[in-house]
Amino acid sequence: MSNIAALLADIVGAHNLLTGDAVTDDYSHDEVLTTPPQKPRYVAKPATADEVSRILQAATEHRIPVTARGSGTGLSGAAIPRNDGLVLSFERMNAVLEIDPTDQVAVVQPGVTLTALDAATVDTGLRYMVYPGELSSSVGGNVGTNAGGMRAVKYGVARHNVLGLQAVLPTGEIIRTGGRIAKVSTGYDLTQLIVGSEGTLALATEVTVKLHPRLDHSATVLAPFADLDQVMTAVPEIVASGLGPYILEYIDNVTMAALVHTQNLELGIPDRIRDSCQAYLVVALENTTSQRLDEDVERAGELVAELGAQDAFILEGSSARKLVEAREKAFWTAKAIGADDIIDTVVPRSAMPEFLAGARDLATAAGAAAAGCGHAGDGNVHLAIFCKDTRARKQLMTDIFALAMKLGGAISGEHGLGRAKTPYFLELEDPAKVALMRRIKHSFDPAGILNPDVILATAE
Amino acid sequence: MSNIAALLADIVGAHNLLTGDAVTDDYSHDEVLTTPPQKPRYVAKPATADEVSRILQAATEHRIPVTARGSGTGLSGAAIPRNDGLVLSFERMNAVLEIDPTDQVAVVQPGVTLTALDAATVDTGLRYMVYPGELSSSVGGNVGTNAGGMRAVKYGVARHNVLGLQAVLPTGEIIRTGGRIAKVSTGYDLTQLIVGSEGTLALATEVTVKLHPRLDHSATVLAPFADLDQVMTAVPEIVASGLGPYILEYIDNVTMAALVHTQNLELGIPDRIRDSCQAYLVVALENTTSQRLDEDVERAGELVAELGAQDAFILEGSSARKLVEAREKAFWTAKAIGADDIIDTVVPRSAMPEFLAGARDLATAAGAAAAGCGHAGDGNVHLAIFCKDTRARKQLMTDIFALAMKLGGAISGEHGLGRAKTPYFLELEDPAKVALMRRIKHSFDPAGILNPDVILATAE
């Protein structure tokens, strides 16, 4: 056993340190499509913030690259470690520490999955509203990528739902930021700086998240449109209507066909409409009483009709749930039908028609294809890119990202940059901002040990 | 004219640079009660981001302390300059650049006042929802302090409503952060780091803020309670009810008496109730239809009765508006009745009873008094401190802040630290966090020119 391994084993206990052949393939990848897996030299499974602190101190002292891992469900490769590095797995720090119905918060360890947190809150009538599709994802992972998901249009992304952290700096200090408080103007907002930093600044060892009341009454309106542009024009009208949908998604016809086919969806849409529509809008509504919900659904039906929908199908109970679940699995569908890469670019809502038309044109010109769906209410477009040639695909992705940025958007709305998107970011982002981010990174992580290939890549 | 003055005059034009006797008293203070005014050596009034950039470059080169100023309505002394320093006043950068109803954003220069922004949005049916009491405050000032106000319980504080910035670094680089987008996971969130940094990291020269639909129907329920603890116990119940109040305030009887007296309020509360109640709860509701509003008001009335209110008065139209305006002016009332300092501590909602009782006990033990009101829904307690002896008052403030922090709260919920609260912060905050904030500050401002006495004070 190497000196480093002995040191780490001393911190977490020998059975919580994996080295050599004991490191299983699981720790070499997340769900990114393009970046190849890499096995780390060490996997450490700490049980406490103090153990995390001692691991990071050792890593800083010995210059060991550290990649934090929650459930490994990320889509950008932020959890792929270096070959000579350490995976710090939060799988043992998976306790729900407290559900506080008065302050409407949950305090959890980072390894808690969304499934576990949902189970822990169900009896309180409250719920953590960040749902990035994958329910096996961890809260710590949500913090790392600033996860979003379908409900963000009403409830915001992880950033808006994370109120406080206990976090460990790469130099070992354990700090607390924010708290079970809704507002704070007391120095720099370290919570928000760490959220979305993809394990490059500090590692969260405890997360305080906001809970919202579960509303008892919900229904989903599915509206087919002949024209994708009509969908995009409808979105801001629905946002402005005061209906407050908790889901507002678009699904293009290619993606809908794939979802229906791969997941055996039965939505009751006549062939005539299905064949003539370019895209669907999914509007999910919820309210405190069934009467208010019924009124809202009726108003939503009228509104989409005014906005050009060919029809409006009210989905309730299991068919609504199945559609939403199918949409949540859009990534898996894209993967199943052979997508070569995925994009989760965000643009201003008003720029979605121009962005989608431009991305389609770029794909066509490259002999490729792009199909998708997205969080229309947030301007967050998810495209599956079909382009076998790696070089052509990278150029196409670069061009699509550049287009999004020209329109006032950004490369990633919720997946994060990871290893997969970091090179595009470094190529396209304002060098003054990248330089500032490097200085901020240095202010947290002077030895550069935390996920050194993500956001601000250094030479491997 | 000194070399520096000539340099600055060259950037902004001679008539937009004030020096010597031309510097009026206005530039020497904001509305803080305790910190004495200080006249700066220079006042520069730039018109563009480029001019701001050139000023900051010159300031960095010549080590001139720079204090940014919006409307000067801050309550913590963050706009008080150094004697040898420069006030960078945004009074000429006061244009509403764009109201975009599709993306539901406004793009404004930092000197725009809330009154001007409200006027610019009224015809669109949208509104900027941050209302920190003082309508002459500027959006740039809101960014600096992460301003809150009464509507934060529903709409969040400035942090939740600022989507993007154009900002100038102290070294002169002009960067853009965020945008008219609802979510982004593309590198560190520089927007959120600059919001609330009180002019110590970078200066915003353009702000993109979120707009929300104006709801047409609103009413206010005023509920007197015999006991302050009952009010505090009622608050989380109302938050959890799903009624979604846009204002949820408590006002103690001392403060209510002062508001009624100084502002000639006529609330129609019988003497019998007024004399026997310790505190009031103000619950403002809004909805899309009058029918829904009426239902909500009825439900709120029932709920406060269940929670122990002595009665529930429905205020509509002008009496509701007058009460809210009076509450907004609570600071001026406190000042008028001789308050020696003010506190805007935030604690978890659940800790408000313990905090208020503790603060009262500390004040009594110090031979002082503390009365107040606050954003109960946010746990944001505003106390007026009556204690003539400076030393005793500083000790009392320290003890109250320490109590708030022990309960999981923070020194300031929305006013910011400014010059007034920075010493308490540096005394009470975890040194590891302060050290980290110093390194972050240095990553933006290597020469330490931006508001050097605020958040992280250096020797003057």
Side-chain angles (χ1 to χ4, degrees):
Chain A
M1 196 185 258
S2 72
N3 285 343
I4 301 288
L7 192 62
L8 294 169
D10 186 52
I11 296 169
V12 295
H15 52 296
N16 293 311
L17 179 75
L18 311 180
T19 57
D21 289 345
V23 176
T24 57
D25 285 342
D26 272 356
Y27 297 105
S28 68
H29 67 89
D30 55 16
E31 298 299 345
V32 67
L33 289 178
T34 52
T35 317
Q38 291 201 126
K39 268 208 184 185
R41 187 169 296 166
Y42 318 97
V43 176
K45 307 177 189 176
T48 65
D50 185 60
E51 289 182 9
V52 174
S53 165
R54 291 169 62 200
I55 293 170
L56 294 186
Q57 283 181 66
T60 283
E61 187 183 341
H62 298 284
R63 297 290 191 273
I64 306 163
V66 176
T67 295
R69 181 183 177 86
S71 300
T73 60
L75 295 171
S76 299
I80 299 178
R82 282 201 180 173
N83 274 323
D84 60 348
L86 164 75
V87 163
L88 195 157
S89 170
F90 283 107
E91 65 201 86
R92 292 175 67 220
M93 293 178 70
N94 65 347
V96 174
L97 301 173
E98 188 184 349
I99 306 293
D100 178 342
T102 308
D103 291 327
Q104 297 196 355
V105 299
V107 183
V108 304
Q109 290 188 312
V112 165
T113 64
L114 300 197
T115 301
L117 182 51
D118 197 56
T121 53
V122 69
D123 289 339
T124 63
L126 299 169
R127 177 183 273 171
Y128 170 61
M129 288 297 181
V130 179
Y131 263 73
E134 184 55 55
L135 293 180
S136 68
S137 73
S138 68
V139 175
N142 288 189
V143 169
T145 60
N146 183 23
M150 282 194 270
R151 296 186 197 162
V153 67
K154 177 169 179 181
Y155 293 103
V157 297
R159 183 174 300 297
H160 307 115
N161 288 278
V162 174
L163 299 176
L165 299 172
Q166 182 194 60
V168 183
L169 304 186
T171 39
E173 298 94 326
I174 302 174
I175 62 171
R176 286 195 173 272
T177 72
R180 51 187 79 189
I181 43 181
K183 65 199 316 189
V184 56
S185 287
T186 307
Y188 306 143
D189 195 330
L190 301 174
T191 311
Q192 296 303 327
L193 188 53
I194 295 170
V195 171
S197 67
E198 304 188 47
T200 67
L201 296 181
L203 301 188
T205 44
E206 196 183 293
V207 187
T208 301
V209 296
K210 197 188 281 191
L211 303 177
H212 293 269
R214 293 174 187 247
L215 300 184
D216 292 332
H217 305 275
S218 65
T220 299
V221 177
L222 177 65
F225 283 77
D227 187 86
L228 186 56
D229 278 4
Q230 280 181 313
V231 173
M232 296 305 151
T233 315
V235 166
E237 299 289 334
I238 294 166
V239 171
S241 69
L243 285 167
Y246 73 97
I247 292 178
L248 184 52
E249 298 282 310
Y250 87 93
I251 304 175
D252 71 18
N253 56 357
V254 174
T255 304
M256 184 63 102
L259 293 180
V260 166
H261 178 71
T262 59
Q263 302 187 44
N264 291 314
L265 275 185
E266 185 44 72
L267 298 169
I269 297 169
D271 291 355
R272 169 185 56 80
I273 289 185
R274 203 181 53 220
D275 293 346
S276 67
C277 92
Q278 256 189 20
Y280 298 80
L281 199 60
V282 181
V283 187
L285 299 164
E286 58 181 2
N287 216 317
T288 47
T289 68
S290 61
Q291 192 200 326
R292 288 189 177 188
L293 177 67
D294 290 347
E295 291 166 9
D296 288 351
V297 167
E298 193 182 332
R299 178 72 197 108
E302 290 165 7
L303 189 56
V304 294
E306 287 163 23
L307 294 166
Q310 294 179 293
D311 206 333
F313 301 90
I314 318 299
L315 307 180
E316 295 187 74
S318 72
S319 55
R321 198 176 60 242
K322 278 182 191 158
L323 174 63
V324 169
E325 284 172 3
R327 165 60 191 93
E328 281 178 342
K329 294 190 184 115
F331 164 71
W332 298 104
T333 299
K335 189 173 175 178
I337 63 174
D340 299 296
D341 207 342
I342 55 165
I343 277 179
D344 88 303
T345 290
V346 62
V347 294
R349 276 195 297 268
S350 62
M352 284 180 75
E354 188 177 348
F355 174 71
L356 284 171
R360 213 163 33 204
D361 290 350
L362 287 167
T364 306
C373 51
H375 309 312
D378 296 326
N380 190 192
V381 177
H382 290 239
L383 290 177
I385 303 293
F386 301 85
C387 181
K388 293 290 162 218
D389 182 75
T390 305
R391 203 165 142 181
R393 193 178 67 239
K394 284 188 176 170
Q395 188 58 53
L396 172 59
M397 302 271 287
T398 305
D399 294 343
I400 292 177
F401 291 141
L403 172 65
M405 291 171 72
K406 199 187 84 181
L407 294 171
I411 291 173
S412 170
E414 57 184 23
H415 293 174
L417 297 170
R419 284 172 173 263
K421 305 289 161 55
T422 290
Y424 301 105
F425 173 71
L426 294 174
E427 181 179 345
L428 296 170
E429 187 51 271
D430 173 7
K433 276 171 70 178
V434 173
L436 175 60
M437 289 185 195
R438 274 194 204 287
R439 295 194 299 272
I440 292 170
K441 160 83 172 171
H442 189 77
S443 72
F444 278 80
D445 184 13
I449 58 160
L450 283 185
N451 235 6
D453 306 300
V454 171
I455 301 182
L456 301 162
T458 50
E460 189 151 0
Chain B
M1 196 184 262
S2 71
N3 285 343
I4 301 289
L7 192 62
L8 294 169
D10 185 52
I11 296 168
V12 294
H15 53 297
N16 293 311
L17 180 76
L18 310 180
T19 57
D21 290 344
V23 176
T24 57
D25 285 342
D26 271 356
Y27 297 104
S28 67
H29 68 90
D30 54 16
E31 299 298 345
V32 68
L33 289 179
T34 51
T35 317
Q38 291 201 127
K39 267 208 185 188
R41 187 169 296 167
Y42 319 96
V43 175
K45 308 176 189 176
T48 65
D50 186 59
E51 289 181 9
V52 173
S53 165
R54 291 168 62 201
I55 292 169
L56 293 186
Q57 281 180 68
T60 283
E61 188 183 341
H62 299 282
R63 298 290 191 273
I64 306 164
V66 176
T67 296
R69 181 185 177 85
S71 300
T73 60
L75 295 173
S76 300
I80 298 178
R82 282 202 180 172
N83 275 324
D84 60 346
L86 164 75
V87 163
L88 195 156
S89 169
F90 282 107
E91 65 201 87
R92 293 174 68 219
M93 294 179 69
N94 65 349
V96 175
L97 301 172
E98 189 184 349
I99 305 293
D100 178 341
T102 308
D103 292 325
Q104 296 196 357
V105 299
V107 183
V108 305
Q109 290 187 314
V112 165
T113 64
L114 300 196
T115 302
L117 182 52
D118 197 56
T121 53
V122 68
D123 289 340
T124 63
L126 299 169
R127 177 183 273 171
Y128 170 62
M129 288 297 181
V130 180
Y131 263 72
E134 183 54 57
L135 293 179
S136 67
S137 74
S138 69
V139 175
N142 288 190
V143 169
T145 60
N146 183 26
M150 282 194 271
R151 296 185 196 162
V153 67
K154 177 168 178 182
Y155 293 103
V157 296
R159 182 173 301 295
H160 308 114
N161 288 278
V162 173
L163 299 176
L165 299 172
Q166 182 193 61
V168 183
L169 303 187
T171 39
E173 298 94 324
I174 302 173
I175 62 172
R176 286 194 173 273
T177 71
R180 52 187 81 190
I181 44 182
K183 66 200 316 189
V184 56
S185 289
T186 307
Y188 306 143
D189 194 330
L190 301 175
T191 311
Q192 295 303 328
L193 188 52
I194 295 170
V195 171
S197 67
E198 305 188 47
T200 67
L201 295 181
L203 301 187
T205 45
E206 197 182 292
V207 187
T208 301
V209 296
K210 196 187 282 191
L211 303 176
H212 293 269
R214 292 174 189 248
L215 300 186
D216 292 332
H217 305 277
S218 65
T220 298
V221 177
L222 177 65
F225 283 78
D227 187 86
L228 185 56
D229 277 6
Q230 279 181 314
V231 172
M232 296 305 150
T233 315
V235 166
E237 299 290 332
I238 295 167
V239 171
S241 68
L243 284 168
Y246 73 98
I247 292 178
L248 184 52
E249 297 283 311
Y250 87 92
I251 304 176
D252 71 19
N253 56 357
V254 174
T255 305
M256 182 63 102
L259 293 180
V260 166
H261 178 73
T262 59
Q263 303 187 43
N264 290 316
L265 275 185
E266 187 41 73
L267 298 169
I269 297 170
D271 290 355
R272 170 184 55 81
I273 290 185
R274 204 182 50 221
D275 294 344
S276 66
C277 92
Q278 253 188 23
Y280 298 79
L281 199 60
V282 182
V283 187
L285 299 163
E286 59 181 1
N287 216 319
T288 47
T289 69
S290 61
Q291 191 200 326
R292 286 188 178 188
L293 178 66
D294 291 346
E295 291 166 10
D296 288 351
V297 167
E298 194 182 331
R299 178 76 197 104
E302 289 165 7
L303 190 56
V304 293
E306 288 163 23
L307 294 166
Q310 295 180 291
D311 205 334
F313 301 90
I314 316 300
L315 308 181
E316 293 187 75
S318 70
S319 55
R321 200 176 58 245
K322 278 181 193 159
L323 174 63
V324 169
E325 284 171 3
R327 165 61 191 91
E328 281 178 342
K329 292 189 186 119
F331 164 70
W332 298 105
T333 298
K335 189 173 174 177
I337 62 173
D340 299 296
D341 207 341
I342 55 166
I343 277 179
D344 88 303
T345 289
V346 62
V347 294
R349 276 195 297 270
S350 62
M352 284 179 74
E354 187 177 348
F355 175 71
L356 283 171
R360 213 164 30 203
D361 291 348
L362 287 168
T364 306
C373 51
H375 308 313
D378 295 327
N380 190 190
V381 177
H382 290 240
L383 291 177
I385 303 293
F386 300 86
C387 182
K388 292 292 161 218
D389 181 73
T390 306
R391 204 164 140 182
R393 192 178 68 239
K394 284 187 178 171
Q395 188 57 51
L396 173 60
M397 303 271 288
T398 305
D399 294 343
I400 292 176
F401 291 141
L403 172 65
M405 291 171 72
K406 198 187 84 180
L407 295 170
I411 291 174
S412 170
E414 57 184 23
H415 293 175
L417 297 171
R419 283 172 173 265
K421 306 289 162 55
T422 290
Y424 301 105
F425 173 71
L426 293 175
E427 182 179 345
L428 297 170
E429 186 53 273
D430 173 7
K433 276 170 73 178
V434 172
L436 176 59
M437 288 187 196
R438 277 194 202 285
R439 296 194 298 273
I440 292 170
K441 160 83 172 172
H442 189 77
S443 73
F444 278 80
D445 184 13
I449 57 160
L450 283 185
N451 234 6
D453 306 301
V454 171
I455 300 180
L456 302 161
T458 50
E460 187 150 1

